[in-house]
Amino acid sequence: MLEYERSLSLNFEESSRIEKDGYTVRDVSYLSPYGGKVPAYLVVPDAGGPFPAVVFMHPGQGNRTTFLSEAEALALKGVVSLLITAPAMRSHPPKNLSEEQRLNLMLEAISDIQQYTQIVVDIQRGVDLLFSFENIDVNRLAYVGHSLGATWGGVLAGVEERIKSYVLMAGLSSVSEWHKTSDHPLADLIRAKLSRERFNKFISELEPLDALHYINKAAPASLLFQFVHDDEFVPKHQADTFYSIASSPKEISWYHTDHLFTNCDAAYQDRTQWIIKQLGLDNK
């Protein structure tokens, strides 16, 4: 289900670029094995290399711009970043839809299993893209994912051997359990609006993709988990399970902030320093 043909053409395109002091932000796209194009930003330091690289995946509330400021800061330290927009965020519904129509579209998107497998495969295809560049050090590759990006980053860690380090921020170890048991308003809404038959089918297809089936296979990659006390989306037992099941080496940190880590400088500093160390830049 998570396999794809790596010999497929990347169809890499660049639509524009913005040159800044010390690096360039390139607006790019590449072909998804599921069809269509993956919109991304490629942030590249000025002359030098080969550079280590980081792939970023945003939370469900974000897009490829979410981690752009972090990628720009890393570029000044000599790191290439690839920031991808997830499949569900690549199109926007017409503005004249009713609330009921918008709700139905949202439910269709959430219950579409293909979008979840596509997230993982599109990230792997992004790694293929990075490997195609001569100025990338393919032995120093990291991943940062938040919420949506952490939940499916946990799956990615079990199937993608080329990434050496993962930062997983506020992810779910079992997204299927969340849908079945969470008292969050979104979970309540999904259970109320989907028919019993459709909901059960959704869960049965989702359960094999839970990150807890994959995160124990991440080794030898190193893992940093970042969680929030009293997270409105991620129950503590899910966080504890994610960390306890994960393979070693691994670390975990907890923060007093919201699910989106709003203005949480401590979490930003911790993951930045961890990434720098993992990429072998701490003495440079």
Side-chain angles (χ1 to χ4, degrees):
M1 186 179 292
L2 294 172
E3 296 179 354
Y4 67 98
E5 179 54 62
R6 288 187 179 175
S7 64
L8 291 172
S9 171
L10 283 163
N11 280 11
F12 175 68
E13 297 179 355
E14 179 178 333
S15 60
S16 65
R17 61 172 60 191
I18 299 175
E19 295 184 1
K20 299 194 176 184
D21 188 13
Y23 62 93
T24 300
V25 179
R26 303 168 64 183
D27 187 342
V28 304
S29 66
Y30 58 91
L31 187 65
S32 169
Y34 283 73
K37 295 181 178 180
V38 181
Y41 286 126
L42 189 64
V43 184
V44 184
D46 288 348
F51 301 111
V54 178
V55 180
F56 287 93
M57 177 53 69
H58 57 79
Q61 299 89 334
N63 53 42
R64 62 180 176 162
T65 67
T66 301
F67 282 105
L68 185 56
S69 62
E70 293 193 24
E72 291 177 314
L74 285 172
L76 295 175
K77 299 181 183 297
V79 179
V80 169
S81 292
L82 180 67
L83 305 98
I84 300 166
T85 294
M89 289 75 183
R90 293 175 194 167
S91 61
H92 303 282
K95 295 182 179 180
N96 60 348
L97 293 181
S98 67
E99 286 302 314
E100 184 67 22
Q101 289 173 319
R102 288 181 181 277
L103 174 60
N104 288 336
L105 281 177
M106 181 191 73
L107 292 173
E108 286 288 341
I110 290 174
S111 59
D112 179 9
I113 295 297
Q114 177 174 299
Q115 69 155 319
Y116 302 123
T117 58
Q118 184 173 357
I119 290 172
V120 178
V121 170
D122 285 355
I123 295 169
Q124 292 185 282
R125 200 63 174 137
V127 176
D128 293 345
L129 176 65
L130 290 172
F131 271 51
S132 73
F133 299 137
E134 292 183 357
N135 65 338
I136 299 296
D137 183 345
V138 298
N139 294 311
R140 292 190 291 164
L141 184 59
Y143 173 87
V144 177
H146 182 184
S147 191
L148 172 85
T151 298
W152 298 102
V155 176
L156 178 73
V159 298
E160 178 53 72
E161 297 179 351
R162 295 170 294 178
I163 297 176
K164 308 302 182 183
S165 306
Y166 291 82
V167 179
L168 303 177
M169 306 165 56
L172 292 166
S173 54
S174 175
V175 68
S176 67
E177 180 194 318
W178 185 88
H179 278 288
K180 289 186 292 184
T181 65
S182 175
D183 58 4
H184 189 277
L186 178 59
D188 285 337
L189 178 65
I190 294 168
R191 290 192 296 265
K193 292 297 183 179
L194 292 182
S195 68
R196 180 182 295 273
E197 180 181 3
R198 185 176 173 191
F199 182 77
N200 289 341
K201 180 176 184 295
F202 169 54
I203 294 300
S204 67
E205 294 174 339
L206 194 57
E207 283 178 336
L209 296 174
D210 282 337
L212 57 83
H213 301 308
Y214 298 86
I215 196 64
N216 61 331
K217 303 177 181 69
S222 54
L223 306 170
L224 172 63
F225 293 88
Q226 292 189 311
F227 290 111
V228 171
H229 293 287
D230 301 317
D231 192 317
E232 63 175 309
F233 280 98
V234 182
K236 187 175 185 302
H237 76 272
Q238 286 245 14
D240 291 339
T241 297
F242 215 165
Y243 178 73
S244 64
I245 288 179
S247 57
S248 295
K250 58 186 176 182
E251 299 177 30
I252 187 170
S253 296
W254 290 85
Y255 303 89
H256 290 283
T257 183
D258 58 17
H259 179 70
L260 294 178
F261 288 76
T262 305
N263 298 322
C264 189
D265 289 340
Y268 165 66
Q269 293 294 338
D270 287 348
R271 65 177 168 271
T272 298
Q273 291 303 314
W274 190 84
I275 289 169
I276 289 172
K277 181 179 179 180
Q278 296 300 314
L279 296 180
L281 299 172
D282 50 327
N283 293 320
K284 297 183 180 181

